[in-house]
Amino acid sequence: MAACSKIGGYQCEFLGTVSEDFVCKHCKQVARDPHVTSCCSETFCQLCITFIIKDKKPCQSCETAEFFTTLNTKYQRRILALEVCCTEKDRGCEWTGKLEGLEAHLDVDTGDCEYVDVECPNKCEQPVEKRNLNTHLANCCPKREFTCQHCNFKATYEIVSNDHWPQCSFYPVPCPNACGIQAIERGDIEAHLLQCPLEEVECDFIHTGCGTKLPRQDMEKHVEESTQKHMALMSATSLRSSREFEKKLQEQRQEFEQRLQEQQKDFEEKLQALQVQNQEIQQSLSEKDQEIRELSNQLVLREREVQQQLQEKEDEIKQVREQLQEEMEKKDQEIRE
């Protein structure tokens, strides 16, 4: 039955009386492609009887187990000639005609039925009657091109309305405090709240301990009525601040003195280390001076020894020269003789 409900008999309104011979004994509708059985000559839709035979069921009219069917062309011609109303009659279509012309009438491309559903060119998947397609594309389709009238952002309508408008800085929104202003650009909300009479604000004397929060328009009255309270809070706050300041000053003094002592101790330790280091340097310099004096004395002694040796050598050379002179004179004398 489920299969027949989709593509079984004709589901349309017929004008006039329809012969029972044209009614499918399975789906109880006017038979589509009428077939008659060999066993009892009863009428069935082609698909209805095909499912019965495929499921190996007996004839639903006479219970015969084995049978075959043939297309009844006479019935088919007479059924297609029946007068019917458009299947979109409930929507307002007034067309009537022969059943064989119904399919052409309903064709979404070439038919003249303005009430049949057609597919939106933008693939929005919303059912649209053919007669309303232009209006749908211009005003209703969520996937139509759309420009935000507040900032000129362009996208599809569903993106603009669902994603862009909730964050558009120029989109008009009412005051969140319901102060009466209904159209404030979203980007100006913070500036508006700085002067909105219904925005909850803290008392100007919050620093003294007044924790009152009221709409801005009521705060002036609060300040006027709470003068004594605020004065008492200011006095208490001043006393408390003075004590805290004195305590903080004492802590800072103690901290300073402690740091000064630590620095003085560190300085004395460094000074003592420098003095020790200076003594070591002085001792080292004294030892170096002693070494230099000893080396200087050794150098003087060595210099004297060298001079003495040089003098001795000069004396030797002088003696050698005198001896040579004497020998030469003797040679000369011998030669003259």
Side-chain angles (χ1 to χ4, degrees), residues 38-39 58 64-68:
S38 60
C39 53
T64 300
E66 295 184 2
F67 62 92
F68 63 90

Side-chain angles (χ1 to χ4, degrees), residues 257-284:
E257 291 176 351
Q258 183 178 357
R259 289 174 57 187
L260 184 61
Q261 291 175 358
E262 292 175 354
Q263 291 178 357
Q264 184 175 359
K265 181 180 179 182
D266 183 60
F267 175 75
E268 291 176 352
E269 290 176 352
K270 290 181 179 179
L271 180 60
Q272 185 177 1
L274 288 173
Q275 289 175 346
V276 172
Q277 185 178 4
N278 185 50
Q279 290 177 357
E280 293 176 350
I281 293 173
Q282 292 295 333
Q283 183 176 356
S284 177

Side-chain angles (χ1 to χ4, degrees), residues 216-233:
R216 182 175 280 107
Q217 64 184 9
D218 299 329
M219 187 53 70
E220 184 177 355
K221 181 179 179 181
H222 162 73
V223 172
E224 292 177 355
E225 295 177 348
S226 305
T227 302
Q228 292 183 353
K229 174 185 175 181
H230 290 158
M231 292 296 292
L233 288 172

